[in-house]
Each structure stands twice: as C-alpha cells, then as structure tokens.
Amino acid sequence: MTTNRSLYLSAAETARRVYGAMLQGKTGSWSMDMNGWDWVPGVGVIAIGEYARRSGQAEIMEGLDDWARRNIGKSERLRVINAVAPFAVLPELYAYTGNSVYEMAAARAGQWLTEEAPRTKEGAWEHTVTEDVKFAEQVWADTVFMAVLVLARVAKMTGNRAFAEEAVHQLLLHMRLLQDEATSLMFHGWNCEEGHPMSGARWTRANAWVAAGIPMIAEAMEGLASLPKEIIDRYRELMGATARYQRGDGLWPTVLDRPEFYPETSGSAGIAYGMKRGIHSGWLDAGLAAQADLTLKAVLDLVPEDGIVQGVSGGTPVMDSIEAYNSIPRHPTLYGQGLVLMLLSEYR
C-alpha cells in the first residue's frame, strides 16, 4: 500500500511539472510550440484535456479555453488528416463553456472528415500532412489518434450517427489493413496501391497511437455507438502482443520487435496508458496493470525537475527500412509531453 501511495504521489507531482513545461513551450519550435493547429500541439491539448478531466482542476480547462480562443482562427487554413487533431478538444470545450464557435468549428471538421477527406481505394482516410509531401494511397496508424478520435467526439457532441458510423468504419479499416497477422502488432503504414506494409516496421509509437486511441474513441461514443466485437478482439490481441515485447525496465524499444533498438519514452507511455484504459473498459486482464506500473516507474525517471520528458523520438514518417527508425534523433516534443501526461493522469 505504501509503495502504491508513493507511486501515485510521484505521478501527480510529475504531471504538474510535465504540464507546466507544456505551458511554457517554445515559440517558433516545431516540436514544442503550443500555439499552432497541427498534430503536435493537437496531441498536447488532447492530453491536457485528459489531465483536466482526471484532476478535476477547473483552471486547467480555463487554460485550454484560452488556448482555443487564441488559436482557433488557424484551424481554417488547411484541412489535412494530421492537422485535424486539435479539433478533438472542441467538443469538450463546448460542453464546458457553451461557446458556439467551438460547436460550429467541430461540426465543420466532422463534415470535412466524412465528406471531403481524401481516401484510399478501400475507403480508408489517406494520410495527409501540412508539409509539401504526398503519401498517395497510404494508411498510417497515427490517423486513429489524430482523426478517428476527432470524429468520434464530434459524433457524440452533435448526436450524428453517420459521424459515429464513419468513425467505427475508419477504425475497422485501419485495424484490418495495419494489424500484422503474424504478431498482432500494428505496422506503421500500409500502401494500399501496392498492397504491402512499406518498411514493415512495427513502430512503437504507431502501436501507441492505437493502444491509447481506441479506448478514448469508445468512451467518446458511449451511448451513441458501440465498437464491434472485431475491433475489441483485435485490440485485445494487440495489447497482449505489446506486453510480450516490454523490456525489463518497463519501456519498449522504438521498434517493438527489435530489442537492440533504443528505448523510446512516448510510445512506451502511450502503450501503458492503453493498458490502464483497456483494463478500466473491461477489455483487458487486470494483470497488465503491473506492466503499466513498471512503465510508469521508468517514465518518472525520465522527467527531470524542469518537466521536459527525455528519450522521445522525433517526428517519424514511414522510413525506408526498419533499421532507419533506430537513427531517429530524440528531443523534447509536445506529443512526448502529452503521452506521458496522459499516463501520469491515470494514476490519480
């Protein structure tokens, strides 16, 4: 009992430091600037929303409202799959503030996702980014967290069953295309035109986006739509598979089935968060909590006094080879801060 209490107290204090470092940010920095409308600050604000909900601190939601009022004008510049991530907090902010600007912007994002977002020949959302680069006919695991979560939350806000059905459809397509039959792990990407998993990397953060995202999506649509048995079964298989690749120190290597690769903090935190949420949902065996606790202990050691999470790999497209993932440099990022904050928030 004493050990558990100490762990929870350490998590609470570390969460405050991680959150504080996010607020300070670094203007003009791609990886640490909160004042943008793209996937990097998007993961940051999604995590802050989770932290606010779990901590019950009204001032955190007030700060999130302030962020949205300052940045929502940027949401109209460009609509791409990665850039819709920040819209995920607008339904929460609309419920909190009653500000119709948030309601209308979120509804427009839902309409864009269902009617305009580019799709592969299977109907899955094609991965698109703000950079001047094309990923034609490519499906990435990242999209589950960056876009399916958005549509699920907008569906609940609007009561639009068509939005909910599309969210479930996209989730099922992504799971079917990306989940490796041999290992049950997720590939980072899939080329629909050529019918192969590209580099074939079972990248840890790709698995983390799915591990964290699916319980959040299910919760978002509660009372409106349920996930089909196939998705839940696939999720169980995924989480059982990730558990088998955990290192003794509680972390995972940056590619799950390459134990010689460097340990990566953000993906590890996301997978452990998924374990905690999956247990809470009743999908996963409670025994996985011990593995999540082990990850938490490792993560606590990777957050110094300034709250900047260490050991986070930089932005990672689908690489040309599995070996190339081990060369991605590590540096502070808002998505690293965010995934760690989400894990820490589960220990309250």
Side-chain angles (χ1 to χ4, degrees):
M1 181 67 73
T2 303
T3 301
N4 287 341
R5 178 172 173 77
S6 175
L7 192 62
Y8 276 64
L9 289 172
S10 296
E13 173 55 32
T14 304
R16 284 191 287 271
R17 287 189 274 121
V18 170
Y19 170 61
M22 294 171 77
L23 293 184
Q24 293 179 13
K26 190 175 181 182
T27 302
S29 164
W30 173 84
S31 64
M32 286 296 287
D33 189 350
M34 284 288 294
N35 293 306
W37 202 273
D38 201 352
W39 74 275
V40 177
V43 176
V45 294
I46 290 168
I48 290 171
E50 293 297 296
Y51 180 46
R53 183 168 63 90
R54 294 289 289 159
S55 67
Q57 298 179 52
E59 61 268 27
I60 299 175
M61 283 301 292
E62 294 291 341
L64 201 56
D65 178 38
D66 179 66
W67 174 87
R69 284 187 283 106
R70 286 186 287 106
N71 290 286
I72 197 168
K74 302 169 186 175
S75 70
E76 296 303 317
R77 293 179 186 174
L78 189 64
R79 291 285 173 83
V80 296
I81 286 297
N82 258 8
V84 299
F87 284 97
V89 300
L90 297 187
E92 294 179 294
L93 286 173
Y94 172 59
Y96 181 74
T97 66
N99 187 339
S100 62
V101 171
Y102 299 152
E103 179 188 28
M104 291 186 290
R108 286 196 300 270
Q111 185 175 16
W112 180 83
L113 284 166
T114 53
E115 298 179 9
E116 301 177 47
R119 297 169 186 258
T120 69
K121 62 182 183 179
E122 290 89 354
W125 287 329
E126 185 178 276
H127 190 76
T128 53
V129 295
T130 51
E131 297 87 349
D132 186 21
V133 61
K134 303 296 182 185
F135 300 110
E137 288 291 324
Q138 290 186 20
V139 173
W140 291 18
D142 312 46
T143 299
V144 169
F145 193 92
M146 307 304 165
V148 179
L149 177 61
V150 173
L151 189 56
R153 289 184 172 180
V154 175
K156 185 64 177 290
M157 181 194 77
T158 60
N160 189 321
R161 290 192 177 275
F163 285 179
E165 290 169 2
E166 182 63 22
V168 172
H169 179 59
Q170 288 297 325
L171 186 53
L172 193 55
L173 284 172
H174 280 72
M175 293 295 286
R176 287 174 175 173
L177 289 168
L178 292 167
Q179 192 162 29
D180 175 28
E181 292 183 6
T183 64
S184 294
L185 300 174
M186 305 299 292
F187 290 119
H188 186 179
W190 182 267
N191 187 308
C192 295
E193 185 66 34
E194 300 174 9
H196 62 74
M198 303 165 73
S199 66
R202 300 166 186 92
W203 181 47
T204 295
R205 197 159 61 232
N207 284 265
W209 294 133
V210 177
I214 287 181
M216 297 172 75
I217 291 163
E219 180 187 57
M221 296 192 298
E222 191 173 353
L224 183 64
S226 299
L227 297 186
K229 182 177 183 296
E230 181 181 345
I231 290 177
I232 296 171
D233 287 347
R234 285 180 175 275
Y235 186 76
R236 288 186 176 123
E237 291 168 3
L238 167 65
M239 299 309 291
T242 59
R244 291 193 290 273
Y245 289 96
Q246 189 179 35
R247 291 161 36 117
D249 63 0
L251 300 175
W252 281 266
T254 195
V255 174
L256 286 172
D257 54 349
R258 292 298 184 96
E260 71 276 16
F261 283 15
Y262 67 74
E264 204 282 321
T265 310
S266 67
S268 297
I271 291 172
Y273 172 82
M275 288 177 172
K276 293 285 287 185
R277 290 295 302 267
I279 292 168
H280 178 72
S281 298
W283 299 341
L284 302 180
D285 188 278
L288 288 177
Q291 291 188 246
D293 290 352
L294 191 60
T295 304
L296 175 66
K297 292 173 184 176
V299 166
L300 291 172
D301 289 338
L302 290 164
V303 184
E305 287 300 315
D306 63 5
I308 301 294
V309 177
Q310 304 298 300
V312 177
S313 63
T316 309
V318 178
M319 304 299 286
D320 292 333
S321 69
I322 294 175
E323 287 69 26
Y325 285 81
N326 201 37
S327 300
I328 298 292
R330 286 164 283 183
H331 56 83
T333 70
L334 288 172
Y335 53 82
Q337 300 288 124
L339 286 167
V340 165
L341 183 62
M342 286 164 57
L343 175 61
L344 294 169
S345 298
E346 284 299 300
Y347 287 83
R348 298 195 67 85

